[in-house]
Amino acid sequence: MLELYAISKIYGNGVVALRDVDLKVEKGEFVFIVGPSGAGKTTLTRLLLAEEKPTKGQIIVNKKVVNNLRRNEIPYLRRQIGTVFQDFRLMNNWTVEENVAFAMKVIEASRRSIRKRVPEVLDMVGLSSKAKHLPTQLSGGEQQRVALARAIVNQPYVLLADEPTGNLDPETAWGIMNILQDINAQGTTVLMVTHAKNIVDAMRKRVVALEAGRIVRDEYRGAYGNED
Amino acid sequence: MKIRTWGFFSGQAFSSMRRNSWMTIASIGTVAVTMIVLGVFLLLAANLTHWAGSIESQVEISIYLQDEITREQVDELAQKFTQLEQVAVVKYVSKEEALLKMRDWYGENADFLAGLELDNPLRNGFKLTTHRPDQVLDLAPTLRTYDGVAEVQYGQGMVEQLFAVTGVLRVVALALMIGLAAAATFIIANTIRITVFARRREINIMKYVGATDWFIRWPFVIEGMTLGLIGSLVAAGLIAWSYQASFAKLVISVPVIPLVNPWPFLLGIVGWLVLIGTTLGVVGSTVSLRRFLRV
């Protein structure tokens, strides 16, 4: 379970990014976080990844309080949260399989389990045939699938996707959504920050809408926005 | 960290060096040049100190005895001098020996000394050397108080000035070395910073995947260490080779200047250069990384 209790984030310059946010996400849920630019979506992901500390409130990931971690504890939190970003964030001089295997090397997995697990996830995202390619030889959609494979290779507790389809054309975006749905179906909690109205509307999942740092709507089987 | 992880780290370090081969060559060159400059100064400083030391070590105390004292008194004095803890060597010089030495000194012009054997005007005495040359200053005046001692000479005035000069030389040599080492650290850290800066995106990605700081750091540390080691080995090799070559020439052409013997002296110099170069590589990469690990 992912729990946020009365989270506020006020930046040094006085900007209030989040105000008293309460949010609970059960294991295995699929949640869209929507809202206009500057609503606090990015701050929310930064707090979850412990890139920043909340000014007030408590964050609990998998029964562990994570809002006040020491610097050397942060990597272990991030291993529980698989991340995917709009800009893919792949190592461009490593092959696809090296990129995916890296996440396992970080946790010092055995060579044998890496050899077994990497092809599995590459197969799941449909990139088995491109294992030896470099990211620069792939399309945007393919690169995002590599990032997804890397995010789930260690079976994280949560998958946090920050605008994963932001750089992709609609058709490719749907390919990514299908994989996210597969991952979710296997029991991984998925948190997706997005602007893609058509995707949110079509998927009919839980939608949490932020506006000016507050949660203004939290609907199961919701849509992007009622008004627009 | 597990063994396979160390394998991964060194693999990363070496593939990065191969990929950025120009930067690698530039870094090795920087380390080598800096270490050569440092090495030359080390050699100069060591020889300067050696020279100063050899001048200082020529400082000795001459004690002249009263003519009328007995053989037993002389033996007694010899024993007392030997027991002084600052004193390294006590040598008795009879007036006959002193005359012979004087004659040697004047060589062909020694004619005017003829006949003095019969009525030797010189005095019996001792030559004392101390463990450390500067102990002469404190010791000499006290020797005058011994019974039977007529006069004590140690180049009063001259010796004090000599020590002042050699003291300044030592301080200057040390200051130069510290300054150079600081400059070397700065240059090397800056060179490595360029490679780190080029890879800040990769470092950032590693942080998001959950890599610990040390997991990210080690490949850079290994890289910095290797660059530092290769660069300083090149420098140390050149330094050792050229010192040995010029030593052989200088000893013959300028025998007045006492040079430090190449062996085992050069072993120490090579050891220091390699140690400093390698350390600078490690420190440089660690320092340069710090800023980029804060994500």
Side-chain angles (χ1 to χ4, degrees):
Chain A
M1 205 159 50
L2 199 76
E3 299 154 273
L4 278 73
Y5 294 105
I7 287 295
S8 292
K9 177 68 189 178
I10 302 160
Y11 286 103
N13 55 10
V15 172
V16 182
L18 289 175
R19 212 186 290 260
D20 243 1
V21 169
D22 287 300
L23 181 65
K24 219 179 251 190
V25 178
E26 300 287 341
K27 172 109 184 101
E29 271 194 275
F30 195 120
V31 183
F32 285 115
I33 314 264
V34 302
S37 300
K41 306 190 299 291
T42 306
T43 303
L44 193 68
T45 60
R46 291 172 73 87
L47 292 181
L48 282 171
L49 292 170
E51 275 179 73
E52 283 169 25
K53 287 176 180 172
T55 314
K56 258 181 11 202
Q58 199 170 44
I59 303 174
I60 299 172
V61 176
N62 195 9
K63 296 177 197 129
K64 188 167 166 31
V65 179
V66 299
N67 48 281
N68 214 0
L69 292 179
R70 276 183 288 122
R71 203 171 130 72
N72 57 2
E73 294 175 314
I74 293 174
Y76 302 94
L77 166 71
R78 291 187 183 161
R79 291 174 195 182
Q80 298 206 7
I81 306 179
T83 43
V84 181
F85 297 94
Q86 187 171 3
D87 55 358
F88 319 137
R89 303 197 185 173
L90 300 174
M91 304 286 193
N92 288 327
N93 39 42
W94 290 358
T95 64
V96 166
E97 61 181 5
E98 281 170 343
N99 264 285
V100 177
F102 178 69
M104 293 187 77
K105 285 180 175 152
V106 162
I107 62 165
E108 303 202 80
S110 73
R111 238 177 266 269
R112 194 179 341 136
S113 63
I114 293 176
R115 261 202 301 271
K116 183 167 169 291
R117 176 71 180 153
V118 172
E120 269 174 26
V121 281
L122 284 181
D123 182 49
M124 186 174 166
V125 300
L127 282 178
S128 297
S129 59
K130 309 240 161 139
K132 306 277 183 209
H133 284 55
L134 292 173
T136 45
Q137 300 168 313
L138 303 180
S139 72
E142 286 169 330
Q143 290 189 46
Q144 193 60 298
R145 284 189 272 157
V146 178
L148 270 171
R150 183 182 62 191
I152 59 167
V153 73
N154 289 331
Q155 288 160 316
Y157 189 74
V158 188
L159 180 65
L160 182 62
D162 191 355
E163 306 256 15
T165 60
N167 274 344
L168 306 176
D169 61 74
E171 209 169 314
T172 318
W174 274 110
I176 296 296
M177 291 317 297
N178 287 335
I179 295 168
L180 280 174
Q181 234 173 338
D182 287 348
I183 293 167
N184 182 239
Q186 288 177 15
T188 307
T189 312
V190 176
L191 223 62
M192 174 165 158
V193 174
T194 187
H195 277 118
K197 183 178 187 309
N198 59 330
I199 289 176
V200 177
D201 288 347
M203 297 261 296
R204 291 285 145 189
K205 300 285 188 187
R206 180 177 172 190
V207 177
V208 173
L210 283 172
E211 228 166 87
R214 288 177 197 280
I215 293 184
V216 291
R217 189 157 54 87
D218 187 350
E219 278 180 343
Y220 289 83
R221 303 184 57 75
Y224 189 86
N226 299 332
E227 60 283 346
D228 54 302
Chain B
M1 301 280 178
K2 295 178 178 167
I3 292 172
R4 58 170 167 273
T5 306
W6 289 109
F8 176 70
F9 288 160
S10 25
Q12 282 306 301
F14 287 102
S15 82
S16 148
M17 281 187 272
R18 213 173 320 115
R19 202 162 38 231
N20 311 308
S21 51
W22 277 110
M23 211 56 229
T24 305
I25 292 167
S27 308
I28 291 176
T30 311
V31 176
V33 170
T34 333
M35 285 300 116
I36 286 173
V37 175
L38 186 67
V40 167
F41 269 89
L42 272 174
L43 291 182
L44 282 179
N47 275 292
L48 219 57
T49 322
H50 179 69
W51 189 37
S54 83
I55 293 173
E56 283 176 359
S57 69
Q58 288 165 22
V59 173
E60 55 180 14
I61 305 174
S62 302
I63 297 166
Y64 300 104
L65 303 175
Q66 289 160 355
D67 264 340
E68 58 274 17
I69 64 168
T70 61
R71 190 80 224 171
E72 286 73 43
Q73 275 177 296
V74 172
D75 288 345
E76 209 175 298
L77 274 174
Q79 196 147 29
K80 275 187 188 160
F81 294 150
T82 318
Q83 279 164 0
L84 289 169
E85 68 172 319
Q86 300 102 307
V87 171
V89 181
V90 179
K91 213 175 113 205
Y92 178 73
V93 185
S94 68
K95 53 181 169 185
E96 290 77 24
E97 284 174 290
L99 188 62
L100 281 174
K101 211 176 245 176
M102 207 174 200
R103 196 169 278 153
D104 275 352
W105 176 261
Y106 286 104
E108 291 173 8
N109 304 317
D111 292 349
F112 73 97
L113 297 170
L116 285 180
E117 296 91 341
L118 302 172
D119 185 16
N120 194 335
L122 301 175
R123 288 173 291 190
N124 294 322
F126 289 100
K127 298 262 186 231
L128 300 193
T129 355
T130 49
H131 290 293
R132 282 185 292 111
D134 58 302
Q135 289 171 325
V136 166
L137 295 178
D138 287 330
L139 182 64
T142 65
L143 298 173
R144 216 184 296 263
T145 61
Y146 286 77
D147 265 352
V149 172
E151 199 184 344
V152 177
Q153 275 184 6
Y154 61 96
Q156 288 92 326
M158 278 278 292
V159 171
E160 281 86 347
Q161 274 179 7
L162 174 67
F163 285 143
V165 170
T166 54
V168 168
L169 280 182
R170 288 206 179 91
V171 171
V172 168
L174 188 70
L176 274 176
M177 226 116 74
I178 292 171
L180 263 169
T185 317
F186 183 74
I187 293 170
I188 292 169
N190 254 330
T191 313
I192 296 172
R193 183 173 309 211
I194 298 169
T195 63
V196 174
F197 187 75
R199 276 148 71 190
R200 64 196 184 285
R201 187 179 156 273
E202 295 179 18
I203 295 169
N204 203 19
I205 293 172
M206 292 181 183
K207 300 256 356 178
Y208 279 113
V209 178
T212 58
D213 285 353
W214 274 108
F215 195 95
I216 298 170
R217 215 177 266 141
W218 271 114
F220 284 96
V221 170
I222 293 171
E223 189 176 337
M225 201 160 72
T226 312
L227 298 179
L229 183 68
I230 297 175
S232 51
L233 276 176
V234 170
L238 281 172
I239 289 273
W241 176 77
S242 42
Y243 184 74
Q244 196 169 14
S246 42
F247 179 82
K249 289 219 173 76
L250 286 175
V251 159
I252 296 163
S253 55
V254 210
V256 203
I257 301 170
L259 292 174
V260 184
N261 253 320
W263 305 104
F265 165 61
L266 280 179
L267 280 183
I269 296 284
V270 166
W272 274 109
L273 287 182
V274 171
L275 183 73
I276 293 173
T278 313
T279 313
L280 287 186
V282 171
V283 171
S285 51
T286 318
V287 167
S288 319
L289 257 184
R290 205 165 44 189
R291 208 155 66 87
F292 300 104
L293 285 176
R294 305 211 171 282
V295 182

